[in-house]
Amino acid sequence: MCSSDLLETTWETPGVGSGWNEWVSLGGEDLVGSPFISVNSAGAGAAWALNSSGELETSWEPQPGWAWSSWVNLGGEKLTGHPFVYRNSEGMPAVWVINSSGDLETLWETPGGVDGWSEWANLGGGNLTGSPYISVNSSGLAAAFAIDGEGKLKTSWQSEGYTWSSWVSLGGEDLVGSPVVYRNSAGVPAVFAI
């Protein structure tokens, strides 16, 4: 992040050896931490970041290559770490963030929702730290991974009815930061953490 709390971007010019463009500000105000960049439901870019009040902000391209929107505050309360965005089973972006109480919170884009977004949902966890990582488990459903305050890896996963399991500890010792999940050649999730 730059010192004025704005999101900035540069991109490689198409073509071999063409170089990079000048930095461009995408705006924002009072943004903190690291942004998460993903593809929105229109197939264009979308940026997500927290502001200093612990709320989630977003900006997006209406179509690929168009000018980015003004920033929109999606709320949330005392969110910490960095947001993680995952496309849910309907192909809509879902945002995941840990709050200051150590619970995982999420909201998702809904075609028929108020302003196109669900209400925030708290999935518990109780003592999660850092930032979450969301992946697909071996059943093809979403699974959340995060490190707790005791340095152990915890997970919760979605069931067929869109409910979530209780959090389960997968152990580990003195883990810090945020986990990363990778699906190996057999399609099985493997989790990495420092």
Side-chain angles (χ1 to χ4, degrees), residues 115-186:
D115 296 326
W117 289 92
S118 72
E119 295 292 321
W120 283 93
N122 186 312
L123 299 180
N127 65 343
L128 305 176
T129 64
S131 299
Y133 195 101
I134 312 302
S135 183
V136 176
N137 64 21
S138 55
S139 300
L141 298 169
F145 298 87
I147 294 171
D148 70 15
E150 298 172 359
K152 298 187 183 312
L153 181 68
K154 292 178 85 172
T155 185
S156 176
W157 58 92
Q158 189 178 28
S159 70
E160 294 289 343
Y162 297 106
T163 58
W164 284 76
S165 71
S166 298
W167 285 88
V168 174
S169 176
L170 298 179
E173 188 172 325
D174 298 326
L175 302 176
V176 296
S178 303
V180 174
V181 181
Y182 164 79
R183 292 177 68 83
N184 65 24
S185 59

Side-chain angles (χ1 to χ4, degrees), residues 32-43:
V32 297
S34 298
F36 191 99
I37 310 300
S38 70
V39 175
N40 62 21
S41 56

Side-chain angles (χ1 to χ4, degrees), residues 6-177:
L6 305 174
L7 182 63
E8 296 200 359
T9 183
T10 185
W11 59 95
E12 188 175 10
T13 304
V16 177
S18 297
W20 286 75
N21 285 283
E22 296 293 322
W23 282 89
V24 174
S25 174
L26 298 181
E29 185 175 326
D30 206 22
L31 302 177
V32 297
S34 298
F36 191 99
I37 310 300
S38 70
V39 175
N40 62 21
S41 56
W48 315 89
L50 299 182
N51 64 30
S52 64
S53 297
E55 300 164 326
L56 180 68
E57 305 247 356
T58 185
S59 175
W60 63 92
E61 295 176 292
Q63 296 292 326
W66 289 21
W68 286 68
S69 72
S70 297
W71 285 83
V72 174
N73 186 313
L74 296 177
E77 192 170 320
K78 298 180 182 175
L79 304 175
T80 64
H82 312 295
F84 186 92
V85 180
Y86 164 83
R87 292 177 83 73
N88 64 24
S89 58
E90 288 82 32
M92 306 299 277
V95 184
W96 307 80
V97 189
I98 294 171
N99 67 24
S100 62
S101 297
D103 288 338
L104 182 63
E105 297 212 25
T106 182
L107 85 162
W108 54 94
E109 190 175 358
T110 58
V114 176
D115 296 326
W117 289 92
S118 72
E119 295 292 321
W120 283 93
N122 186 312
L123 299 180
N127 65 343
L128 305 176
T129 64
S131 299
Y133 195 101
I134 312 302
S135 183
V136 176
N137 64 21
S138 55
S139 300
L141 298 169
F145 298 87
I147 294 171
D148 70 15
E150 298 172 359
K152 298 187 183 312
L153 181 68
K154 292 178 85 172
T155 185
S156 176
W157 58 92
Q158 189 178 28
S159 70
E160 294 289 343
Y162 297 106
T163 58
W164 284 76
S165 71
S166 298
W167 285 88
V168 174
S169 176
L170 298 179
E173 188 172 325
D174 298 326
L175 302 176
V176 296

